[in-house]
Amino acid sequence: ITSNTNKAVDQVLLKLCNRLHREGKMSDLEEGKIVRVGRISHEELEKNFGSYVTVDGIATRRGSEMQKKINDLEKEKPALEIKLSKLTPTYERFKELKQTEAKVNSNEKLLKQLDSDIKAKKEVIDRLTAQTTKLEKEKIYHSRKGFFGKAFGKSIESIEGELSVASKNLISEENQQSGLKSELSSLTAKSKTTELKLDNLQNELKGQNFAELEQNIETLENEINGINAEISKLNKEMEGLRKTIISDALIVGATSTKAFLSPMDLGKF
């Protein structure tokens, strides 16, 4: 709606506003479907409908409504956050329980593997011990042989060479077995501590339902996230409120001069 004077524009808008008021369609005004761009010169329009039709009035009114919604949403959060904070420690203890169970299972596998490795080392050590004993006997027997026995039998150098290699291998295997036994002893002690921790956690959480607890936490987190998302949305709407007031309107009133000099203010109109 446009005219040469502010008064003419205001009179048309006043009639529209009064009609909507009489017909119980104030929601159209509350939603900002009629917007007056520029200064209102009509006292009655300013007094009765200024907050509904001016850009500043609409922004202030809508902004206050949005801020009230934000405040109401902010008030809902503390109670939910307190509930969540009370559940979180128990949830963390359940996580610790699962980690401890996994550690116990892992330790059991490692202990079995170490025991198997130690037994395998024992077999090798027994074989090398028998070999070195046999070679030592051969060395002693060789020293008792006569000329022809030494000449046609295994040489002392060969016997001593084999004995040296076997002795070195035996020492290496014994050292490795000793290291495995030490590792087994250390892991056994740690496993007992872990198993005791597991028992304590199981007793502490006995009767607690992890699935139910997890569901309750998820529900609370979803509610809190939903509130935060709504607050963020409202804040963005408040930031862009003035920009959308005219573009969302169905009727915009302005003088011809205003329309000519400030076309950007009228947007799509």
Side-chain angles (χ1 to χ4, degrees):
I1 296 172
T2 184
S3 181
N4 292 329
T5 65
N6 283 314
K7 187 174 182 179
V9 174
D10 292 343
Q11 285 175 340
V12 175
L13 293 182
L14 178 60
K15 288 180 180 180
L16 286 172
C17 291
N18 282 329
R19 181 174 178 178
L20 290 174
H21 184 261
R22 286 195 307 271
E23 293 177 355
K25 296 181 179 179
M26 284 298 293
S27 61
D28 287 342
L29 289 175
E30 291 171 352
E31 292 172 6
K33 291 184 178 179
I34 298 177
V35 176
R36 173 66 162 94
V37 177
R39 181 179 61 84
I40 294 178
S41 62
H42 200 294
E43 185 178 343
E44 185 179 350
L45 180 64
E46 176 67 42
K47 179 180 178 182
N48 296 338
F49 302 104
S51 63
Y52 294 99
V53 298
T54 62
V55 174
D56 288 342
I58 294 171
T60 300
R61 182 168 47 78
R62 281 192 186 175
S64 64
E65 291 173 0
M66 289 182 184
Q67 190 59 56
K68 183 178 182 302
K69 288 181 181 179
I70 291 173
N71 292 341
D72 290 342
L73 289 169
E74 289 286 4
K75 288 177 183 177
E76 291 180 28
K77 285 173 60 178
L80 296 173
E81 289 171 341
I82 289 172
K83 287 182 181 179
L84 182 61
S85 67
K86 289 180 179 179
L87 296 179
T88 301
T90 304
Y91 180 75
E92 291 300 323
R93 294 298 277 174
F94 266 113
K95 284 176 61 179
E96 190 175 356
L97 173 64
K98 289 184 178 295
Q99 291 170 355
T100 305
E101 287 174 339
K103 187 65 177 176
V104 168
N105 292 333
S106 175
N107 286 344
E108 287 178 354
K109 291 179 181 179
L110 288 173
L111 287 170
K112 287 180 181 179
Q113 185 61 51
L114 283 170
D115 185 62
S116 175
D117 291 345
I118 289 170
K119 288 178 180 178
K121 287 295 178 186
K122 184 179 182 305
E123 291 179 1
V124 175
I125 288 170
D126 289 345
R127 179 174 56 80
L128 288 170
T129 299
Q131 184 181 1
T132 54
T133 299
K134 179 184 176 183
L135 289 168
E136 285 172 352
K137 287 180 179 180
E138 282 186 24
K139 183 178 179 181
I140 293 172
Y141 178 70
H142 184 277
S143 65
R144 295 174 182 174
K145 285 182 178 182
F147 174 78
F148 288 104
K150 292 178 179 180
F152 295 100
K154 186 187 292 186
S155 69
I156 188 64
E157 289 82 4
S158 176
I159 294 172
E160 288 179 341
E162 290 179 16
L163 180 59
S164 175
V165 171
S167 297
K168 288 179 180 178
N169 289 339
L170 177 59
I171 292 172
S172 175
E173 293 295 332
E174 286 176 337
N175 288 337
Q176 290 178 38
Q177 185 190 54
S178 177
L180 289 172
K181 286 181 177 180
S182 176
E183 190 176 344
L184 177 66
S185 177
S186 175
L187 184 57
T188 299
K190 290 178 181 179
S191 294
K192 288 180 180 179
T193 302
T194 305
E195 288 170 2
L196 179 61
K197 179 181 179 181
L198 179 61
D199 289 339
N200 291 336
L201 285 168
Q202 287 174 335
N203 290 330
E204 178 187 336
L205 298 171
K206 190 175 182 179
Q208 301 262 21
N209 189 319
F210 177 71
E212 182 179 338
L213 174 66
E214 196 171 35
Q215 181 61 51
N216 290 338
I217 288 176
E218 184 179 352
T219 299
L220 287 169
E221 286 179 338
N222 287 340
E223 288 184 40
I224 293 171
N225 290 338
I227 288 173
N228 288 334
E230 183 64 20
I231 289 173
S232 177
K233 177 185 174 184
L234 288 169
N235 281 327
K236 287 181 180 178
E237 286 179 4
M238 286 183 68
E239 291 174 6
L241 185 59
R242 296 182 67 87
K243 297 178 182 178
T244 61
I245 287 174
I246 295 177
S247 63
D248 289 345
L250 296 179
I251 298 173
V252 173
T255 62
S256 302
T257 303
K258 180 70 173 177
F260 177 75
L261 295 177
S262 306
M264 294 299 294
D265 288 351
L266 301 179
K268 65 182 181 180
F269 294 90

